[in-house]
Amino acid sequence: MTSSTTGSGTGNATGNGFGLCAGRVAVVTGAGRGLGRAHAHALAAEGARVVVNDLGVGLDGAGGSAGPAQDVVDEIVAAGGEAVAHGGDIATAVGAASLVATAVETFGRLDILVNNAGFLRDKMLVNLDEDAWDAVMRVHLKGHFLALKYAGAHWRAEAKAGRAPQARVINTSSGAGLLGSVGQGNYSAAKAGILGLTLVAAAELGRYGVQVNAIAPAARTRMTEEVFAEAMTASGEGGFDAMAPENVSPLVVWLASEAAAGVTGRVFEAEAGRITVMEGWRPGPSADKGARWTPAEAGEAALVLLAAAELPQPVYGAQ
């Protein structure tokens, strides 16, 4: 299901003008509100033509409306940019394939995929039912996988046809995926899975001219508005809204541009005015007996290694 609206103008707001992403075509999932909306606007402001994907569902994934995606398209067009709405479900093969097709059929190419769509169904583990687990895994992890699969297949075909792309994928993880979050076992697991998927995709698709990175943003959206409602930092004339989703988008735009050449398989935290390169799992203290340990020996060695290791970061919400 698609609906399109395009416009043209001058300057950075138009897909045919100037800007870091001038001449490039981006698709952004979950772009009707929050972070996705901010990313779509920021990409358009830097010259990209944008496919705005959103089902218009509620915070828990229920319902649906074409309004949010079309509203963002109308805003981009009013600013002199070019955009098209896409209402397909990217957690289905049909929806993900049509997302890629919409970009190619409308704008003639695809250069950027920003995977952002998601919702919450929070419960403590012992109260978390299978439906809530499956629903969150479906939209976050399967949605990332399918959009990446069909975009990757398109770019592979382009590369094999001699039209080597300079393609970019930006996946959306979370601090919950990096550290875990109490009451969000399903969400944390899905966001951690996105990090693993990012690393694999970067390794597999690099030969076709595709770079794949992930962000772990912190911003005030429908999913976090209660947490960040009062988070404001006065900085400069008029103040600085530290939790505005627009603070995350500049990094996304740069990662989506040709200026980010050579940056792939990396994870960035982005919050307010701070950008952090996350270093992930890497070997710490180690011991090698050169033979099989007994259980008692393994325990003794583990205690020595733990004493030499850095303490892990605390899980969000842990006491």
Side-chain angles (χ1 to χ4, degrees):
M1 180 177 77
T2 63
S3 61
S4 64
T5 306
T6 61
S8 61
T10 58
N12 283 3
T14 173
N16 296 316
F18 301 101
L20 204 59
C21 291
R24 292 170 71 73
V25 173
V27 299
V28 185
T29 70
R33 304 180 178 96
L35 282 165
R37 176 181 178 274
H39 300 338
H41 275 285
L43 287 160
E46 288 292 332
R49 292 165 287 176
V50 185
V51 179
V52 178
N53 165 266
D54 204 285
L55 286 176
V57 298
L59 182 58
D60 63 353
S65 168
Q70 191 60 51
D71 288 346
V72 174
V73 168
D74 293 344
E75 292 163 0
I76 290 172
V77 170
E82 297 184 60
V84 59
H86 178 269
D89 183 356
I90 47 82
T92 67
V94 170
S98 72
L99 178 66
V100 174
T102 296
V104 175
E105 291 169 4
T106 305
F107 299 122
R109 59 187 296 132
L110 173 62
D111 304 285
I112 301 158
L113 168 63
V114 181
N115 278 317
N116 171 77
F119 57 73
L120 295 177
R121 292 191 184 176
D122 293 351
K123 291 284 185 181
M124 301 296 279
L125 282 173
V126 295
N127 296 321
L128 184 63
D129 60 39
E130 286 186 66
D131 288 344
W133 175 274
D134 291 344
V136 169
M137 285 292 176
R138 178 183 182 277
V139 68
H140 286 279
L141 192 51
K142 188 178 180 182
H144 271 63
F145 156 63
L146 286 174
L148 185 51
K149 169 186 170 70
Y150 285 98
H154 168 74
W155 288 321
R156 181 182 62 179
E158 289 291 288
K160 289 185 174 182
R163 298 183 293 270
Q166 295 190 53
R168 306 286 187 263
V169 178
I170 299 92
N171 291 329
T172 304
S173 184
S174 167
L178 294 164
L179 300 176
S181 179
V182 171
Q184 293 187 311
N186 49 0
Y187 179 74
S188 297
K191 289 302 192 184
I194 287 168
L195 296 175
L197 179 64
T198 297
L199 300 180
V200 172
E204 291 185 356
L205 298 178
R207 72 190 72 179
Y208 306 121
V210 184
Q211 295 180 187
V212 186
N213 294 286
I215 59 168
R220 185 178 55 255
T221 68
R222 287 192 302 165
M223 293 197 297
T224 62
E225 60 186 356
E226 293 184 6
V227 177
F228 295 135
E230 303 302 322
M232 297 284 288
T233 301
S235 176
E237 185 177 353
F240 169 48
D241 182 354
M243 290 296 105
E246 289 78 10
N247 298 333
V248 177
S249 300
L251 176 61
V252 172
V253 172
W254 182 78
L255 288 170
S257 74
E258 294 182 15
V263 179
T264 193
R266 306 306 294 263
V267 179
F268 298 84
E269 273 196 334
E271 176 183 352
R274 177 176 58 84
I275 296 171
T276 304
V277 177
M278 304 304 291
E279 296 187 331
W281 294 103
R282 60 181 63 243
S286 177
D288 185 355
K289 179 182 177 182
R292 181 180 302 159
W293 302 91
T294 67
E297 290 173 335
E300 291 173 2
L303 289 173
V304 171
L305 297 175
L306 287 168
E310 293 188 16
L311 290 175
Q313 295 292 305
V315 173
Y316 287 105
Q319 299 297 320

